[in-house]
Amino acid sequence: MKRNTLIRKGILTFSLLLMAAIMVFPVVFTLSNSFMTENEISRHYPSESESQQDNAHKNSFIHLKLIPDQFSFEQYKAFFVKKQSFIDKEQSNMKFYGNSALMVIPIILGQLIVASLAAYVYGKLKFKGRDTLFLVYMVTMLMPFQVTLVPNYLIADKLGLLNSFGAIIFPGVFGAFGVFILRQFVMTIPYSYIEAAKIDGAGHFTIFMKIILPLIRPGLAGLVVLLFADYWNMVEQPLIFLDDPSKFPLSLYLSQIIQDTRGIGFAASILYMAPMLLIFGFAKKYLIKGIQLSGAKD
Protein backbone atom coordinates (compact mmCIF):
# COMPACT_ATOMS: atom_id res chain seq x y z
CA MET A 1 0.00 0.00 0.00
CA LYS A 2 2.79 2.38 0.93
CA ARG A 3 4.64 1.46 -2.26
CA ASN A 4 1.59 2.28 -4.39
CA THR A 5 1.27 5.63 -2.64
CA LEU A 6 4.91 6.46 -3.39
CA ILE A 7 4.45 5.46 -7.03
CA ARG A 8 1.38 7.70 -7.38
CA LYS A 9 3.22 10.60 -5.74
CA GLY A 10 6.19 10.03 -8.05
CA ILE A 11 3.98 10.02 -11.15
CA LEU A 12 2.17 13.15 -9.96
CA THR A 13 5.45 14.93 -9.23
CA PHE A 14 6.88 13.97 -12.62
CA SER A 15 3.71 15.14 -14.39
CA LEU A 16 3.77 18.49 -12.59
CA LEU A 17 7.47 18.99 -13.37
CA LEU A 18 6.86 18.12 -17.02
CA MET A 19 3.99 20.60 -17.29
CA ALA A 20 6.06 23.26 -15.54
CA ALA A 21 8.94 22.66 -17.98
CA ILE A 22 6.59 22.96 -20.95
CA MET A 23 5.22 26.24 -19.58
CA VAL A 24 8.64 27.71 -18.76
CA PHE A 25 10.45 26.58 -21.93
CA PRO A 26 9.21 29.43 -24.21
CA VAL A 27 10.39 32.02 -21.69
CA VAL A 28 13.79 30.35 -21.26
CA PHE A 29 14.13 29.95 -25.03
CA THR A 30 13.29 33.61 -25.67
CA LEU A 31 15.64 34.80 -22.90
CA SER A 32 18.61 32.76 -24.13
CA ASN A 33 18.10 33.76 -27.76
CA SER A 34 17.89 37.42 -26.80
CA PHE A 35 21.60 37.23 -25.95
CA MET A 36 22.57 35.95 -29.41
CA THR A 37 24.02 38.17 -32.11
CA GLU A 38 21.94 39.01 -35.18
CA ASN A 39 24.21 36.89 -37.38
CA GLU A 40 23.77 33.82 -35.18
CA ILE A 41 20.01 34.24 -35.14
CA SER A 42 19.95 34.58 -38.94
CA ARG A 43 21.92 31.35 -39.27
CA HIS A 44 19.67 29.30 -37.01
CA TYR A 45 16.30 30.88 -37.80
CA PRO A 46 16.25 31.95 -41.45
CA SER A 47 13.31 33.98 -42.66
CA GLU A 48 10.82 32.56 -45.14
CA SER A 49 12.41 34.40 -48.05
CA GLU A 50 15.88 33.19 -47.03
CA SER A 51 14.62 29.63 -46.72
CA GLN A 52 13.16 29.72 -50.23
CA GLN A 53 16.41 31.04 -51.66
CA ASP A 54 18.53 28.50 -49.80
CA ASN A 55 17.75 24.92 -50.85
CA ALA A 56 19.53 23.66 -47.75
CA HIS A 57 16.81 25.16 -45.56
CA LYS A 58 13.86 24.48 -47.83
CA ASN A 59 12.97 21.04 -46.47
CA SER A 60 14.61 21.18 -43.08
CA PHE A 61 13.29 21.84 -39.60
CA ILE A 62 14.40 24.83 -37.58
CA HIS A 63 16.83 23.69 -34.90
CA LEU A 64 16.04 25.42 -31.62
CA LYS A 65 19.13 26.57 -29.79
CA LEU A 66 19.24 27.44 -26.09
CA ILE A 67 22.90 28.36 -25.52
CA PRO A 68 24.37 31.19 -27.62
CA ASP A 69 27.79 30.75 -29.17
CA GLN A 70 28.66 34.17 -27.80
CA PHE A 71 26.66 36.10 -25.21
CA SER A 72 25.92 39.60 -26.42
CA PHE A 73 23.72 42.52 -25.37
CA GLU A 74 23.63 43.69 -28.98
CA GLN A 75 19.88 43.08 -29.34
CA TYR A 76 18.98 45.00 -26.18
CA LYS A 77 21.15 47.91 -27.20
CA ALA A 78 19.56 47.92 -30.65
CA PHE A 79 16.07 47.91 -29.13
CA PHE A 80 16.76 51.08 -27.17
CA VAL A 81 18.73 52.85 -29.90
CA LYS A 82 17.54 51.63 -33.28
CA LYS A 83 14.52 53.16 -34.99
CA GLN A 84 12.07 51.12 -37.03
CA SER A 85 10.34 52.16 -40.23
CA PHE A 86 6.59 51.99 -39.80
CA ILE A 87 4.01 53.55 -42.14
CA ASP A 88 6.43 56.09 -43.66
CA LYS A 89 7.71 57.12 -40.23
CA GLU A 90 10.86 56.39 -38.29
CA GLN A 91 9.83 55.53 -34.73
CA SER A 92 11.93 54.51 -31.75
CA ASN A 93 11.06 51.13 -30.22
CA MET A 94 10.93 52.81 -26.80
CA LYS A 95 8.11 55.06 -28.03
CA PHE A 96 5.81 52.05 -28.33
CA TYR A 97 6.95 50.82 -24.92
CA GLY A 98 6.01 54.21 -23.54
CA ASN A 99 2.67 54.13 -25.34
CA SER A 100 1.80 50.92 -23.50
CA ALA A 101 2.68 52.50 -20.16
CA LEU A 102 0.70 55.68 -20.92
CA MET A 103 -2.40 53.58 -21.56
CA VAL A 104 -2.10 50.91 -18.87
CA ILE A 105 -1.00 52.96 -15.83
CA PRO A 106 -3.95 55.43 -15.93
CA ILE A 107 -6.38 52.54 -16.43
CA ILE A 108 -5.05 50.70 -13.37
CA LEU A 109 -4.95 53.79 -11.14
CA GLY A 110 -8.38 54.92 -12.27
CA GLN A 111 -10.00 51.53 -11.85
CA LEU A 112 -8.47 51.08 -8.38
CA ILE A 113 -10.12 54.34 -7.28
CA VAL A 114 -13.47 53.76 -8.98
CA ALA A 115 -13.68 50.05 -8.13
CA SER A 116 -12.76 50.47 -4.46
CA LEU A 117 -15.34 53.24 -3.97
CA ALA A 118 -18.03 51.29 -5.83
CA ALA A 119 -17.17 48.12 -3.88
CA TYR A 120 -17.71 49.99 -0.61
CA VAL A 121 -21.07 51.31 -1.83
CA TYR A 122 -22.28 47.94 -3.13
CA GLY A 123 -20.81 45.99 -0.23
CA LYS A 124 -21.67 48.01 2.89
CA LEU A 125 -24.13 50.80 2.14
CA LYS A 126 -27.80 49.90 2.22
CA PHE A 127 -30.21 51.55 -0.22
CA LYS A 128 -33.20 50.49 -2.27
CA GLY A 129 -32.36 48.62 -5.47
CA ARG A 130 -28.71 48.11 -4.52
CA ASP A 131 -28.55 44.42 -5.43
CA THR A 132 -30.51 44.92 -8.66
CA LEU A 133 -28.24 47.76 -9.72
CA PHE A 134 -25.17 45.67 -8.93
CA LEU A 135 -26.55 42.75 -10.95
CA VAL A 136 -27.15 45.00 -13.96
CA TYR A 137 -23.61 46.37 -13.60
CA MET A 138 -22.20 42.86 -13.51
CA VAL A 139 -23.99 41.94 -16.73
CA THR A 140 -21.66 44.32 -18.55
CA MET A 141 -18.72 42.24 -17.31
CA LEU A 142 -20.15 39.16 -19.04
CA MET A 143 -20.45 40.90 -22.39
CA PRO A 144 -17.56 40.30 -24.80
CA PHE A 145 -15.63 43.26 -26.11
CA GLN A 146 -17.29 42.96 -29.52
CA VAL A 147 -20.76 43.62 -28.04
CA THR A 148 -19.81 46.98 -26.51
CA LEU A 149 -17.53 47.95 -29.38
CA VAL A 150 -20.05 50.00 -31.38
CA PRO A 151 -21.44 51.97 -28.37
CA ASN A 152 -17.93 52.70 -27.10
CA TYR A 153 -16.82 53.79 -30.56
CA LEU A 154 -19.81 56.12 -30.99
CA ILE A 155 -19.34 57.64 -27.54
CA ALA A 156 -15.62 58.18 -28.14
CA ASP A 157 -16.45 59.79 -31.47
CA LYS A 158 -18.99 62.16 -29.89
CA LEU A 159 -16.50 63.11 -27.16
CA GLY A 160 -13.72 63.68 -29.70
CA LEU A 161 -11.54 60.96 -28.20
CA LEU A 162 -10.95 58.85 -31.30
CA ASN A 163 -7.28 58.37 -32.20
CA SER A 164 -6.27 59.31 -28.65
CA PHE A 165 -5.33 57.32 -25.56
CA GLY A 166 -8.50 58.58 -23.86
CA ALA A 167 -10.64 56.35 -26.09
CA ILE A 168 -8.95 53.35 -24.48
CA ILE A 169 -8.37 54.69 -20.97
CA PHE A 170 -11.90 55.84 -20.05
CA PRO A 171 -13.73 52.56 -20.85
CA GLY A 172 -11.00 50.68 -18.97
CA VAL A 173 -11.29 52.86 -15.86
CA PHE A 174 -14.98 52.08 -15.47
CA GLY A 175 -14.73 48.34 -16.07
CA ALA A 176 -16.93 46.12 -13.90
CA PHE A 177 -14.32 43.44 -13.17
CA GLY A 178 -12.54 45.43 -10.46
CA VAL A 179 -15.82 46.22 -8.70
CA PHE A 180 -16.75 42.55 -8.63
CA ILE A 181 -13.36 41.48 -7.19
CA LEU A 182 -13.13 44.18 -4.51
CA ARG A 183 -16.76 43.82 -3.44
CA GLN A 184 -16.00 40.23 -2.44
CA PHE A 185 -13.30 41.52 -0.08
CA VAL A 186 -15.52 44.30 1.29
CA MET A 187 -18.28 41.79 2.06
CA THR A 188 -15.92 39.88 4.37
CA ILE A 189 -15.35 42.94 6.59
CA PRO A 190 -17.60 42.73 9.71
CA TYR A 191 -20.22 45.47 9.74
CA SER A 192 -19.47 45.98 13.43
CA TYR A 193 -16.24 47.77 12.43
CA ILE A 194 -18.26 50.34 10.50
CA GLU A 195 -20.83 50.73 13.26
CA ALA A 196 -18.07 51.35 15.81
CA ALA A 197 -16.54 53.99 13.54
CA LYS A 198 -19.91 55.71 13.11
CA ILE A 199 -20.39 55.80 16.90
CA ASP A 200 -17.03 57.59 17.12
CA GLY A 201 -18.29 60.16 14.64
CA ALA A 202 -16.57 58.93 11.51
CA GLY A 203 -18.14 59.71 8.13
CA HIS A 204 -18.13 57.60 4.99
CA PHE A 205 -14.86 59.07 3.73
CA THR A 206 -13.06 58.32 7.01
CA ILE A 207 -14.51 54.82 7.16
CA PHE A 208 -13.42 54.18 3.60
CA MET A 209 -9.88 55.49 4.10
CA LYS A 210 -9.22 54.12 7.60
CA ILE A 211 -11.09 50.81 7.59
CA ILE A 212 -12.03 49.63 4.10
CA LEU A 213 -8.83 50.35 2.18
CA PRO A 214 -6.40 48.75 4.70
CA LEU A 215 -8.52 45.59 4.92
CA ILE A 216 -8.91 45.10 1.19
CA ARG A 217 -5.21 45.55 0.45
CA PRO A 218 -4.82 41.92 -0.72
CA GLY A 219 -7.65 42.49 -3.17
CA LEU A 220 -6.08 45.70 -4.45
CA ALA A 221 -2.73 43.96 -4.97
CA GLY A 222 -4.34 41.07 -6.81
CA LEU A 223 -6.42 43.44 -8.94
CA VAL A 224 -3.31 45.34 -10.03
CA VAL A 225 -1.75 42.11 -11.32
CA LEU A 226 -4.91 41.03 -13.16
CA LEU A 227 -5.55 44.44 -14.70
CA PHE A 228 -1.96 44.85 -15.80
CA ALA A 229 -1.92 41.41 -17.43
CA ASP A 230 -5.18 42.19 -19.24
CA TYR A 231 -4.46 45.69 -20.52
CA TRP A 232 -0.72 45.28 -21.10
CA ASN A 233 -1.60 42.57 -23.64
CA MET A 234 -4.53 44.37 -25.29
CA VAL A 235 -4.71 44.29 -29.08
CA GLU A 236 -8.30 44.93 -30.21
CA GLN A 237 -8.82 48.29 -28.47
CA PRO A 238 -5.83 50.17 -29.93
CA LEU A 239 -6.37 48.55 -33.32
CA ILE A 240 -9.92 49.93 -33.48
CA PHE A 241 -9.72 53.26 -31.64
CA LEU A 242 -6.30 54.44 -32.85
CA ASP A 243 -5.71 55.46 -36.47
CA ASP A 244 -2.14 56.69 -36.04
CA PRO A 245 0.28 53.72 -35.91
CA SER A 246 2.78 55.84 -33.97
CA LYS A 247 0.36 55.68 -31.00
CA PHE A 248 0.16 51.88 -30.99
CA PRO A 249 1.26 50.04 -27.82
CA LEU A 250 4.13 47.56 -27.87
CA SER A 251 1.68 44.65 -27.75
CA LEU A 252 0.46 45.61 -31.23
CA TYR A 253 3.84 46.62 -32.60
CA LEU A 254 5.76 43.58 -31.35
CA SER A 255 4.88 41.50 -34.41
CA GLN A 256 6.21 44.27 -36.65
CA ILE A 257 9.52 44.33 -34.76
CA ILE A 258 9.89 40.56 -35.05
CA GLN A 259 9.11 40.69 -38.75
CA ASP A 260 11.68 43.41 -39.44
CA THR A 261 14.50 42.22 -37.17
CA ARG A 262 14.13 38.82 -35.51
CA GLY A 263 17.02 39.37 -33.13
CA ILE A 264 15.60 42.57 -31.69
CA GLY A 265 12.27 40.74 -31.48
CA PHE A 266 13.67 38.33 -28.88
CA ALA A 267 14.99 41.22 -26.77
CA ALA A 268 11.72 43.15 -27.22
CA SER A 269 9.74 40.10 -26.06
CA ILE A 270 11.80 39.84 -22.86
CA LEU A 271 11.47 43.57 -22.17
CA TYR A 272 7.76 43.25 -22.87
CA MET A 273 7.40 40.47 -20.26
CA ALA A 274 9.63 42.15 -17.66
CA PRO A 275 7.06 44.62 -16.20
CA MET A 276 4.50 41.85 -15.77
CA LEU A 277 6.99 39.66 -13.89
CA LEU A 278 8.17 42.56 -11.74
CA ILE A 279 4.64 43.60 -10.80
CA PHE A 280 3.70 40.03 -9.95
CA GLY A 281 6.77 39.67 -7.72
CA PHE A 282 6.03 43.00 -6.03
CA ALA A 283 2.32 42.29 -5.52
CA LYS A 284 2.96 38.77 -4.26
CA LYS A 285 4.73 40.13 -1.18
CA TYR A 286 1.82 42.43 -0.36
CA LEU A 287 -0.70 39.68 -1.03
CA ILE A 288 0.92 37.42 1.58
CA LYS A 289 1.33 40.29 4.05
CA GLY A 290 -2.25 41.39 3.54
CA ILE A 291 -3.62 37.88 4.13
CA GLN A 292 -1.58 37.57 7.33
CA LEU A 293 -2.80 40.95 8.62
CA SER A 294 -6.39 40.10 7.78
CA GLY A 295 -6.11 36.81 9.64
CA ALA A 296 -4.64 38.52 12.72
CA LYS A 297 -7.44 41.10 12.86
CA ASP A 298 -10.14 38.50 12.48
Side-chain angles (χ1 to χ4, degrees):
M1 191 72 177
K2 187 176 180 180
R3 182 180 179 181
N4 292 336
T5 302
L6 291 175
I7 292 175
R8 285 197 297 269
K9 287 184 178 179
I11 294 174
L12 179 61
T13 301
F14 176 77
S15 301
L16 293 174
L17 290 175
L18 180 61
M19 287 188 290
I22 293 173
M23 296 291 291
V24 172
F25 177 78
V27 179
V28 175
F29 171 76
T30 304
L31 179 62
S32 63
N33 280 258
S34 69
F35 292 107
M36 290 183 182
T37 62
E38 184 67 33
N39 291 332
E40 186 177 357
I41 290 175
S42 299
R43 287 200 315 270
H44 289 91
Y45 314 117
S47 64
E48 185 177 350
S49 59
E50 292 172 344
S51 298
Q52 291 175 353
Q53 295 174 1
D54 189 354
N55 292 329
H57 292 291
K58 188 175 289 186
N59 297 317
S60 62
F61 291 100
I62 293 178
H63 298 286
L64 302 181
K65 187 174 182 181
L66 287 178
I67 302 178
D69 294 334
Q70 179 182 358
F71 281 87
S72 172
F73 289 93
E74 172 187 332
Q75 309 305 336
Y76 290 95
K77 181 179 178 180
F79 176 84
F80 288 106
V81 175
K82 188 175 181 179
K83 293 184 177 181
Q84 303 290 342
S85 177
F86 197 46
I87 315 297
D88 300 328
K89 293 182 180 180
E90 290 290 329
Q91 299 291 346
S92 170
N93 292 322
M94 285 303 297
K95 175 178 176 58
F96 300 96
Y97 205 96
N99 288 346
S100 294
L102 289 176
M103 295 181 201
V104 175
I105 294 176
I107 290 176
I108 293 177
L109 294 178
Q111 191 162 153
L112 286 177
I113 296 172
V114 173
S116 58
L117 289 169
Y120 172 56
V121 172
Y122 285 123
K124 291 303 177 186
L125 299 188
K126 299 178 181 179
F127 55 91
K128 187 177 180 180
R130 182 193 67 175
D131 295 338
T132 302
L133 182 61
F134 178 73
L135 180 62
V136 173
Y137 192 47
M138 287 301 101
V139 170
T140 63
M141 185 178 68
L142 303 177
M143 294 181 181
F145 172 73
Q146 292 77 8
V147 174
T148 58
L149 172 61
V150 174
N152 285 340
Y153 188 90
L154 293 176
I155 293 173
D157 186 25
K158 291 294 183 180
L159 295 176
L161 296 175
L162 286 181
N163 198 32
S164 70
F165 293 160
I168 299 172
I169 293 172
F170 285 110
V173 166
F174 297 98
F177 178 72
V179 179
F180 172 76
I181 293 295
L182 295 183
R183 180 178 178 269
Q184 304 306 112
F185 282 85
V186 172
M187 293 290 288
T188 62
I189 299 174
Y191 196 77
S192 58
Y193 291 5
I194 298 176
E195 289 180 336
K198 288 182 177 179
I199 292 173
D200 290 337
H204 288 300
F205 181 77
T206 302
I207 293 172
F208 176 75
M209 296 298 296
K210 300 294 185 180
I211 298 177
I212 303 299
L213 281 185
L215 292 179
I216 65 172
R217 188 181 300 174
L220 293 172
L223 184 60
V224 167
V225 176
L226 295 174
L227 290 177
F228 191 90
D230 186 20
Y231 288 101
W232 187 254
N233 297 315
M234 62 182 169
V235 174
E236 295 93 345
Q237 295 94 320
L239 199 59
I240 293 169
F241 292 109
L242 299 178
D243 297 328
D244 187 357
S246 65
K247 296 181 180 180
F248 284 172
L250 187 58
S251 57
L252 199 59
Y253 188 63
L254 193 59
S255 60
Q256 180 70 26
I257 298 177
I258 296 174
Q259 187 177 18
D260 292 344
T261 50
R262 283 152 294 156
I264 297 178
F266 282 112
S269 298
I270 292 298
L271 293 171
Y272 180 71
M273 290 187 291
M276 183 69 249
L277 297 175
L278 290 174
I279 286 182
F280 176 77
F282 177 78
K284 182 181 177 181
K285 178 179 68 174
Y286 283 90
L287 275 170
I288 296 173
K289 184 178 179 181
I291 292 171
Q292 291 173 343
L293 291 175
S294 298
K297 291 182 180 181
D298 288 339

